[in-house]
Amino acid sequence: MEKVVNMSHWRRKLVLWMIMVVQLSLFLSVSSTEIHARKLLKDNDINTNDVRLHISDRQVIIDNGLVEVTIENPSGYLIGIKYKEMENVLERRNHNSNRGYWDIVWDDDAYDKLETKHVEVITQTNDIVELSFAKTWNSKNHGKTLPLNIQKRYIVRRGISGVYMYGIFERQEDFPEAHMYQIRIAFKLKEDKFRFMAISDTIQRVMPQSEDRIKGHSKPLDFKEAVLLTNPSNPDLKGEVDDKYQYSTENKDNKLNGWISDYDAVGFWIMTPSNEFRTGGPHKQDLTSHVGPTALSMFVSTHYTGTEIDTFYKEGEGWKKVFGPVLIYLNSASSKDDDHRKILWDDAKRQLSEEIESWPYNFTRSEDFPHSQQRGQVNGQLLVQDRYMDKQLMQAKSAFVGLAAPGEVDSWQKEGKGYQFWTQTDKIGRFNIKNVRPGVYNLYAWIHGFIGSYKLDLNITIQPENKIELGTLIYDPPRNGPTLWEIGIPDRTAAEFFIPEPYPRYVNSITNDGADKFRQYGLWDRYSNIYRDSDLVYTVGASNYSKDWFFAHVPRKTGDDRYRPTTWQIKYNLQDVNNRGTYTLQMAIAAASFAEVEVRFNDPNSDRPHFTTRRIGYDNAVPRHGIHGLYRLYSIEVPEYRFRKGNNTIYLTQTRSDNPFEAVMYDYIRLEGPNSLV
């Protein structure tokens, strides 16, 4: 009997030991993000205060126990955000109109900060307060003020350490015509606190101060926004270039940017859970944060598109649009944690995920912002048919598919007034575009690895709660014959081409990641350094486009700040020439700025080129450190007599050379033989 008892005793010990092992393994399996979350002070878990509102003649205060938001009355300027021990995260030395504000750049570079005239309480409960600061345009101010009706909305919710902001802008049909080139929200943070900026997992750094950009501390460079830091307040930054365009990102990636105060271990973040209200589609690049410290939420701009994007509003054209909501989020960690930056960044990403999951928000109180049950969705599958690549239909893997205003193929990248809704297909080309606002759209798509763009020749009308099944759609990319040779990858960027090392004197430490190498300053002048006496020559079959094809076709510097046009050569061999058919040169352009490309075949001295793009582009992608701008495709038909058996050369001449920024970036070039399929 005693032996049985002892066995039972050891069994209990064994079970307890096994439980301890399981618990230990669970503890060790906890991700670093979860550990950081535990180390972060979880305001939302410990604070259940009601949302309180106080309105006076000069200001409005909303307080939920986590943040205290102060708005000037009736202008609608955000003048203060109190968080933790920081009385105001915004720069108190600035004028009230220069802390947190909307602004619009309109006709002839006029600048309007959208100062409003009255405030209205939209919602006030213990859980949420929503306010509207508004102004109605008066025709007596014709030519003096922006013809636009304005509502600036603020929302503070229980348990959320931040403030939601959105705008409702309207033009009535009798309003005079106007351009609205830029619409954004800007925040100027405390300069003595916020020194560390974060844009992405790889783009994070200690930043210069605003005084570092003025004379005596820096040297102006060739492009007006760029300076070389010669005597910065932080000696570690001496010799670096500062340029706000080095921190631009595509709309699809521009969801989170902000700043950290290391001393207080406090983060200030702008979160954009949806791009539906941004213009130009998922790939349009725009500003994020930059020296100031300045944090931006960009909605409309001509950056990386120029004035080709539609920002003109005609008289007689009614228009209304909701921009946002975006969330201004604050978080904190212990300043004793050496990794407080990572803790704050990871928590900001966690909060962003929650915001994306909650989109479209159900707590807004505007009939102009439809909730999920007032929206629709579009489903389908996209396949590709290119018989020269595969006799079978191919799945459009990871294709970008979107709904935008009706227009021509690729018109979405120049569309600047309406809403756009984009997604990516799965491995077999299926797509599901959810939460689409009611309206009339066209469906557009482009597919990595294939030139051109798809457009469904059908207007799609979205109504609340409807679900449209489009079935299987087939894209026939431009193709006239078999591929004889190709240069690059059809991906709408020049990223696969040769990007040189920057001049050591112009390095920015933010671009340590190889994928961001194109962001370095002055790369355009490296062409003249590499090709001192003659221009680029690419030999098909021997050259490698990642090493031998410069990422931008720029002018060549000849000295004394003078430039000359450049002619690139593509050398290739034809074993035979088909005398009964037409050849095609497919030339896809990833960016262009005041440029012109002339194409000649085997005769570089002919007075008239076989083809010219004429002057194209305003996107300034080269000096603004973009790797693409607007996409263009030219299918150039070439008669057989332009070719010869054996060695051939195509000459690409970029004719404009008034300055180093007149340039094109190629996406992809392909020579096709005559059609060989019956």
Side-chain angles (χ1 to χ4, degrees), residues 376-396:
Q377 68 179 37
V378 176
N379 304 325
Q381 182 182 28
L382 183 62
L383 303 178
V384 184
Q385 180 173 270
D386 186 336
R387 290 178 295 167
Y388 286 100
M389 292 183 66
D390 194 320
K391 292 181 181 180
Q392 304 296 320
L393 290 173
M394 295 171 281
Q395 285 92 3

Side-chain angles (χ1 to χ4, degrees), residues 184 197 207 244 247 259 287-296:
R184 68 178 188 175
M197 184 183 77
M207 290 291 287
K244 63 184 179 181
Y247 312 116
W259 293 80
L287 298 172
T288 54
S289 290
H290 58 78
V291 164
T294 299
L296 299 175

